[in-house]
Amino acid sequence: MLRQPAFGHRLRKLRLAQGLSQTALAGEGMSTGYLSRLESGARRPTGRAVDYLAGRLGLQPADFAEPATGSLAHALTLAASTGSPDAAEPLSQALAAEGHENPVLRWQALWILARAARLQGDHPLERDRLTRLTALGDDVGLSELRVRGLTRLARCLRSLGEITPALEAAVEAHRIAVHDSLGVEDRATALLALVSVQAEAGRTAEARTHADQLTALVEGRRDTLWAEAMWTAAAIRMRQGDHPAAQACLDDALARFSSREDLTLWIRLRLAAGRLHLQKTPADPAQAQHRAQEAEAALAFVGTPALRQDLTALKADLAYATGRYDDARTLLGELAADRPRMTYRGQVRLEILRHQLLILAGDPTGIQGLRTLAQQAQADTNIDLAAEIWRVLADALTEATHPGHATHAPLPTTPAPGHAGTDAPGRADAPGHPGTDTPAQPGTDAPGRDADYVGLIDAGLTG
């Protein structure tokens, strides 16, 4: 039963959410005076009045009942104040029940829910929520909200390997941020998204130009935005084969960014550094292990499933790089038994490693598997990833042709000296990583590698 004054409060909220005046809502079938008394709670609603008002608002009569989960504003306040993943479900229920609530409130709710999905590694759910959020941003008309929604959507789509729509969203976010002269925060986050997607699309020169603009924009800061900018700059330099410059950028972020600012990002920086140490020439598995140990120690404080999978994947790569192939297979088995929460690129990397291990075991399906992965990445316009897979295939063919060509560095059992230990645990909410997974460049590996890679191109295998 609809009771007053709850019905009146709900009626007024639904009317205002649609931007209607009392006169517009009342129409010809109801006096504005009667409507006013309904909203104030002075009159009890009749069934006929409820049906009439529901039809005018395009709702069902049941929509006038207050949601059992409480108001969206109430759920939003709880979710924003606690930051706990447990608050996401009540907020999601309140949002579903309050589909006609103020669009700004719905935007805020979707922003929090998208972030919750991202931290759990559920990128498809994050994409769905961000798609709704960007549509609301257009309805609200605030440039800042449009840029923030498009930026997050671009980074999410990149994580899913959907490079073409990711690039479109990133370009539009950057255009709006520049055209409307938004603040440093919005312009920098738009550049972060643009650089990472351009790099995946193989537009390295454009990505480097924008990366340089980004680092200049955040110069003098030492916050999360600055750390992500340095991470992004390192990724681009790595893709260009400038390993010393990439190392310098990432080392700067590792040394100056405190875990008290953002523990999740602090961990991701160390995972990125570990991967860089394995990809540079010559590889440094000792430092890769040191960074992995730092990240693992901090995971006790903010261990999400996605972060734990990223660490396990790094350990598997480290085992392969040091010739511990059985350990690598075991770690891959652990990952295969769990629900995948890594990015598209991370999952492809696991497939690359699995096929490399097949090749080492003399299984010819490993080579065909790498070729299929590369062709699929090209079809998805993920040019940078496709190039990385072709280079891995070239290395595999080189090793098959010249057994013993690859060498593996010994792995120490203690962290390497000269590096700072972990900071004190900080907050656990992180804005997602900008994409540091970077391939080695042609011409930087052991002798004979380039010839094989060129041979693949001549044979038409790289498209």
Side-chain angles (χ1 to χ4, degrees):
M1 178 180 292
L2 299 174
R3 298 181 181 275
Q4 290 287 28
F7 171 78
H9 294 162
R10 178 77 170 161
L11 172 60
R12 183 175 186 274
K13 183 165 60 175
L14 292 171
R15 173 177 64 80
L16 293 176
Q18 296 193 28
L20 298 175
S21 66
Q22 287 186 339
T23 301
L25 177 57
E28 297 180 357
M30 181 179 289
S31 70
T32 54
Y34 179 66
L35 176 58
S36 178
R37 289 191 291 275
L38 285 176
E39 288 191 353
S40 68
R43 292 290 299 270
R44 290 179 59 185
T46 65
R48 182 178 177 182
V50 171
D51 289 342
Y52 176 77
L53 291 169
R56 297 286 293 173
L57 290 167
L59 306 174
Q60 296 298 319
D63 291 328
F64 288 114
E66 190 71 21
T69 55
S71 70
L72 178 59
H74 176 74
L76 185 57
T77 301
L78 291 177
S81 61
T82 64
S84 169
D86 296 336
E89 183 57 31
L91 180 58
S92 180
Q93 293 174 1
L95 179 62
E98 295 269 21
H100 304 283
E101 183 59 271
N102 182 291
V104 174
L105 282 183
R106 284 185 282 146
W107 191 98
Q108 290 176 312
L110 285 167
W111 179 265
I112 292 175
L113 291 171
R115 176 183 166 276
R118 180 173 71 254
L119 290 178
Q120 293 302 312
D122 193 340
H123 299 295
L125 179 58
E126 180 193 7
R127 174 189 55 200
D128 293 344
R129 288 169 171 172
L130 288 172
T131 300
R132 294 165 59 193
L133 181 147
T134 53
L136 274 176
D138 291 339
D139 292 341
V140 173
L142 289 176
S143 297
E144 289 83 357
L145 296 189
R146 294 181 65 199
V147 167
R148 292 166 196 174
L150 286 167
T151 296
R152 278 264 41 112
L153 180 61
R155 294 172 70 165
C156 175
L157 291 170
R158 173 196 167 274
S159 295
L160 289 165
E162 299 176 18
I163 302 304
T164 299
L167 188 58
E168 292 172 355
V171 168
E172 179 64 6
H174 181 247
R175 184 196 67 78
I176 296 172
V178 172
H179 180 269
D180 293 358
S181 301
L182 300 187
V184 171
E185 295 274 346
D186 288 312
R187 282 182 287 142
T189 53
L191 278 171
L192 278 170
L194 183 60
V195 170
S196 63
V197 178
Q198 284 178 329
E200 295 286 356
R203 301 184 179 185
T204 311
E206 295 174 66
R208 176 60 183 266
T209 298
H210 287 125
D212 290 344
Q213 293 175 7
L214 174 61
T215 53
L217 192 61
V218 299
E219 186 175 0
R221 304 169 65 129
R222 293 294 180 268
D223 56 3
T224 297
L225 190 58
W226 169 81
E228 286 197 280
M230 297 305 293
W231 181 356
T232 302
I236 298 305
R237 284 156 177 77
M238 189 70 179
R239 281 175 164 87
Q240 292 182 319
D242 191 351
H243 298 174
Q247 183 87 54
C249 289
L250 204 47
D251 283 348
D252 194 16
L254 290 167
R256 301 191 189 196
F257 183 71
S258 170
S259 65
R260 295 179 181 88
E261 283 284 336
D262 188 324
L263 184 56
T264 299
L265 179 57
W266 188 92
I267 293 171
R268 290 193 183 281
L269 286 170
R270 276 145 184 82
L271 294 175
R275 195 167 293 283
L276 184 149
H277 284 302
L278 291 180
Q279 292 171 338
K280 69 183 184 181
T281 304
D284 190 345
Q287 287 302 319
Q289 185 195 36
H290 172 62
R291 294 306 182 186
Q293 289 173 334
E294 284 186 324
E296 188 167 23
L299 278 175
F301 301 99
V302 63
T304 66
L307 277 177
R308 293 191 184 281
Q309 288 186 5
D310 285 340
L311 174 62
T312 302
L314 176 58
K315 287 181 175 180
D317 285 334
L318 185 56
Y320 179 84
T322 54
R324 296 179 291 115
Y325 303 127
D326 287 341
D327 290 345
R329 293 186 182 95
T330 298
L331 291 165
L332 284 180
E334 292 177 7
L335 288 167
D338 198 6
R339 174 190 172 189
R341 297 178 182 272
M342 302 173 67
T343 64
Y344 166 80
R345 190 184 187 96
Q347 292 182 52
V348 170
R349 274 218 164 90
L350 294 182
E351 284 298 296
I352 292 173
L353 180 56
R354 185 173 70 84
H355 291 305
Q356 287 177 301
L357 290 169
L358 288 174
I359 293 170
L360 282 173
D363 189 336
T365 62
I367 290 177
Q368 181 56 46
L370 287 176
R371 183 179 290 112
T372 300
L373 282 176
Q375 291 169 342
Q376 183 60 54
Q378 282 183 223
D380 294 338
T381 66
N382 204 322
I383 306 304
D384 184 75
L385 181 58
E388 178 181 355
I389 300 170
W390 287 121
R391 286 191 288 269
V392 170
L393 179 55
D395 286 339
L397 292 175
T398 298
E399 177 63 17
T401 306
H402 309 287
H405 178 75
T407 58
H408 302 283
L411 184 65
T413 58
T414 58
H419 288 264
T422 57
D423 291 337
R427 61 185 176 87
D429 55 328
H433 55 286
T436 25
D437 293 344
T438 56
Q441 299 297 317
T444 57
D445 278 359
R449 180 178 184 274
D450 285 349
D452 288 319
Y453 185 58
V454 171
L456 286 171
I457 296 174
D458 290 342
L461 295 178
T462 57

